[in-house]
Amino acid sequence: MSWILRALRRGVLTTRYPNGPAQMPDGWRGVARALPGRPAASYERGAAACLSHAIEPRGAGAVVFADRCFQCGQCAIVAPDAFVMSNEYELAHAADPTFTREHLARRAAAFGRSVFVRHVDAGSDYACDQEVQALFNPFYDLNRLGIFLTASPRHADILLVTGAVTRAMEEPLQRTYAAMPAPKLVVAVGSAASSGSIYASDAIVGPVDRIMPVDVKVPGAPPPPLSILHGIWVALGRVAAVRAEPSA
């Protein structure tokens, strides 16, 4: 009975996002941003400290490749005058730069109110997978939006892929994609799935778009549940895609 009374006192705690605003906690590192008009030496220090080579000094500024950034914050530590870690979470972007509002409208019309997701770990360290799982807890409750997990690719509308693709998972991932009915969407979750990030060896193929078309990329290492939800919403055509950073 005490649990029931406590629940009644606290009320509904499920986030209203994406139907309402949400805010990440203070101190959460979203993605690195380069500040304009800073000394060239500061941009170079930040780039040298970046383990994933996500920063490229250019002229009087620097470009941060969000898909490669894994949010370590080293650039902002060694060059705080030139780099900051943003508190953003709506970082998902369409992989195709020609993604237009007309394309968005057609995609939104192609899917009904119920959408089924197949999640495949193609070689992650399980961090991104935990964030995907959190989407279905009572706080995020993805089911309230008509989005459900499915064990069968034959029932799936969206393929969520985490991790840089390993050689061992290349064929299973391709077979999963081939088994999905059209129309189908692919969302690369995390910097490793989006760009390969710091991972490179003979055992790794690379990012997901090396072996199949990707509709939306969600930067982060790992991206929080809100970022993944934003990526799904972009893929479904229910919100406009944010501008993608130049590809590395």
Side-chain angles (χ1 to χ4, degrees):
M1 182 62 70
S2 62
W3 285 101
I4 296 175
L5 293 175
R6 182 182 300 179
L8 290 173
R9 284 196 298 268
R10 296 182 69 182
V12 177
L13 298 181
T14 303
T15 179
R16 295 186 62 245
Y17 186 83
N19 298 321
Q23 185 175 358
M24 297 301 292
D26 292 340
W28 182 82
R29 297 195 299 254
V31 71
R33 296 295 187 198
L35 301 173
R38 310 299 172 164
S42 296
Y43 296 129
E44 291 169 2
R45 280 200 309 274
C50 181
L51 297 176
S52 63
H53 306 292
I55 300 172
E56 182 180 314
R58 290 186 181 178
V63 173
V64 177
F65 301 103
D67 288 348
R68 296 193 64 83
C69 176
F70 62 94
Q71 303 162 306
C72 67
Q74 283 300 304
C75 58
I77 293 173
V78 303
D81 59 326
F83 296 94
V84 295
M85 298 303 295
S86 78
N87 199 257
E88 301 167 74
Y89 61 88
E90 291 187 332
L91 300 171
H93 61 83
D96 184 348
T98 64
F99 194 87
T100 64
R101 290 190 177 277
E102 290 73 20
H103 186 189
L104 191 74
R106 289 195 300 271
R107 177 169 292 179
F111 293 89
R113 295 179 62 87
S114 293
V115 177
F116 288 84
V117 174
R118 175 75 171 111
H119 168 222
V120 174
D121 173 359
S124 79
D125 60 1
Y126 199 62
C128 291
D129 306 77
Q130 288 181 311
E131 303 301 312
V132 171
Q133 291 173 4
L135 283 170
F136 297 90
N137 70 26
F139 181 76
Y140 297 103
D141 190 15
L142 208 57
N143 294 160
R144 69 192 159 88
L145 301 171
I147 301 175
F148 305 90
L149 279 177
T150 178
S152 172
R154 300 186 187 281
H155 299 155
D157 304 297
I158 299 176
L159 176 60
L160 285 187
V161 185
T162 53
V165 182
T166 62
R167 299 281 176 197
M169 283 301 299
E170 181 178 9
E171 182 181 350
L173 187 59
Q174 290 174 325
R175 292 175 64 182
T176 297
Y177 180 76
M180 293 172 62
K184 52 190 172 183
L185 301 168
V186 177
V187 178
V189 176
S191 297
S194 297
S195 68
S197 191
I198 61 174
Y199 302 101
S201 76
D202 292 340
I204 295 176
V205 178
V208 180
D209 59 11
R210 290 271 178 89
I211 66 168
M212 65 179 56
V214 171
D215 295 279
V216 170
K217 296 181 178 182
V218 185
L226 289 179
S227 293
I228 303 171
L229 175 50
H230 176 248
I232 293 172
W233 232 229
V234 170
L236 289 171
R238 296 177 184 176
V239 294
V242 298
R243 180 181 63 83
E245 298 289 351
S247 297

